[in-house]
Amino acid sequence: MNEKLSIIREEALAAVKAASSTAELNDIRVRVLGKKGELTAILRSMGSLAPEDRPKVGQMVNEARAEIESAVEARTAALAAQERDARLKAEALDVTIPGKKRPLGKLHPLTQTYYEMRDIFVGMGFTVAEGPEVEYDKYNFTMLNIPKDHPARDMQDTFYVNDDIVLRTHTSPVQVRTMLSQKPPIRIISPGRVYRSDDVDATHSPIFNQIEGLVIDKGVTMADLRGVLDVFAKELYGEHTKTRLRPSYFPFTEPSAEVDLSCMACGGKGCRICKGSGWIEILGSGMVNPKVLEMCGIDPEVYSGFAFGIGIDRVCNAKFGISDIRLLYENDLRFLSQF
Ligand code: PHE
């Protein structure tokens, strides 16, 4: 019995010493000291001993238990401290390491230009109207006084989806949609992407962006058109900016005019941006053709109006000194990050 006890004791103490985790120590505790443990088994078997030996054995078992218990406790405390140290080390945060720089996005120069133009018109009381880029032929052409087989269709090289549906060649169809759904007075701008099957070069792209404007009310005249565009030009390019109207032709306006702004890059002297002319052609305009008003259910005897269409790309390029429209659509970050 004596020998058995000392083997259990030695083995238990050795196991405690070798234990490398608190979980392992717990297993040892259960195996040796637990209800079904080795020491408990000895206490249980004391009945088979001679009565005079019992107190002595009992005392020895209790001493062994106390010794093993305190060894387990000491080892548990040491291991817990070790485990905590390891965890703290693993979770350590070096607050002195410099932060990571995240690259900051920017608005595309076209978007910047559009926002600036939009804000000028909104400041004059216009609201923004939008419409689909895939549009009915009827809204893109017919109701703008360009019936099928009209030669004016050749002015705009059109991507046809089918006989009745096109990729809009201008945002004028939004004006038609607005006139059909709203009563005058109307004062809107319609911005967006438009499509034409042009050959691509430095000044032509099959996709480009427009802002068209439409004002309809009683007594609107060409002087109002001129005034609005003058204010727009001065707010956009500065007080000294001049506007010039040249007679032109659009089926949906009568009379029609193209409007040039004095070149903001050179102030009108002539440079690379204005190709030496001192003027930048940025928009078409005119008084809304009475036929268009009629087709859209507005009485031309009561109401009149003007419309204009500005190329955002041209304005953008003049603003930033960009000489090739293709750069706006290539999405080269080395180019875009400059603006
Ligand atoms: N819709 C014409 C175009 O894209 C521009 C324009 C709009 C001209 C309004 C006159 C009046 O070419």
Side-chain angles (χ1 to χ4, degrees), residues 144 155-156 169-172 175 194 196 208 210 212-213 250 252-253 256-257 283-286 306-310:
L144 288 163
M155 284 167 71
Q156 302 184 349
T169 58
H170 46 189
T171 57
S172 306
Q175 308 185 8
V194 301
R196 291 187 199 176
F208 57 101
Q210 279 191 332
E212 296 215 351
F250 298 102
F252 31 89
T253 48
S256 305
L283 67 98
S285 66
F306 65 81
F308 55 86
I310 313 175

Side-chain angles (χ1 to χ4, degrees), residues 20-21 36 64 80 114 130 138 142-143 152 181 221 248 261 270 286 290 306 308 326:
S20 59
S21 72
K36 292 179 182 163
Y114 162 57
E130 291 185 328
K138 162 174 90 167
T142 312
M143 296 187 73
S181 65
T221 70
S248 184
L261 304 190
F306 65 81
F308 55 86
R326 288 171 288 199

Side-chain angles (χ1 to χ4, degrees), residues 32-261:
V32 181
L33 307 173
K35 262 190 201 158
K36 292 179 182 163
E38 293 161 359
L39 271 186
T40 321
I42 288 187
L43 282 177
R44 287 225 175 97
S45 68
M46 282 217 309
S48 62
L49 292 178
E52 63 272 22
D53 288 338
R54 287 179 197 165
K56 187 141 183 279
V57 173
Q59 194 192 345
M60 281 163 60
V61 170
N62 281 338
E63 273 170 18
R65 163 181 289 273
E67 199 181 343
I68 297 168
E69 256 171 9
S70 72
V72 167
E73 231 162 76
R75 187 80 186 130
T76 304
L79 278 180
Q82 238 176 54
E83 283 169 16
R84 195 194 57 215
D85 283 352
R87 204 183 61 234
L88 287 179
K89 211 166 167 188
E91 289 174 1
L93 208 61
D94 183 351
V95 293
T96 65
I97 292 176
K100 288 197 180 97
K101 271 218 177 99
R102 306 261 171 221
L104 198 59
K106 290 184 181 181
L107 290 178
H108 193 284
L110 270 176
T111 308
Q112 294 180 35
T113 310
Y114 162 57
Y115 284 173
E116 195 181 325
M117 295 166 74
R118 177 199 61 188
D119 291 350
I120 296 173
F121 285 115
V122 167
M124 287 192 265
F126 286 76
T127 54
V128 176
E130 291 185 328
E133 292 176 27
V134 181
E135 183 56 283
Y136 290 111
D137 178 285
K138 162 174 90 167
Y139 295 148
N140 193 82
F141 289 124
T142 312
M143 296 187 73
L144 288 163
N145 196 32
I146 317 174
K148 288 217 154 136
D149 306 321
H150 190 285
R153 288 203 178 204
D154 296 341
M155 284 167 71
Q156 302 184 349
D157 303 297
T158 309
F159 288 113
Y160 281 88
V161 175
N162 61 34
D163 266 359
D164 300 317
I165 297 176
V166 301
L167 298 187
R168 68 179 179 191
T169 58
H170 46 189
T171 57
S172 306
V174 181
Q175 308 185 8
V176 174
R177 286 170 176 272
T178 305
M179 287 189 276
L180 289 172
S181 65
Q182 280 177 34
K183 299 244 157 306
I186 291 171
R187 209 185 296 166
I188 55 149
I189 53 168
S190 49
R193 275 193 178 160
V194 301
Y195 301 84
R196 291 187 199 176
S197 62
D198 275 333
D199 287 334
V200 177
D201 64 27
T203 55
H204 293 91
S205 159
I207 303 176
F208 57 101
N209 285 270
Q210 279 191 332
I211 294 185
E212 296 215 351
L214 175 70
V215 173
I216 297 187
D217 204 348
K218 290 177 180 158
V220 174
T221 70
M222 197 120 184
D224 297 311
L225 166 65
R226 212 185 158 152
V228 164
L229 294 179
D230 224 42
V231 169
F232 168 74
K234 288 191 159 69
E235 292 214 9
L236 185 70
Y237 286 152
E239 241 345 275
H240 53 275
T241 310
K242 293 200 261 308
T243 44
R244 174 174 86 172
L245 272 70
R246 282 179 290 112
S248 184
Y249 170 75
F250 298 102
F252 31 89
T253 48
E254 182 59 39
S256 305
E258 272 180 75
V259 181
D260 304 335
L261 304 190

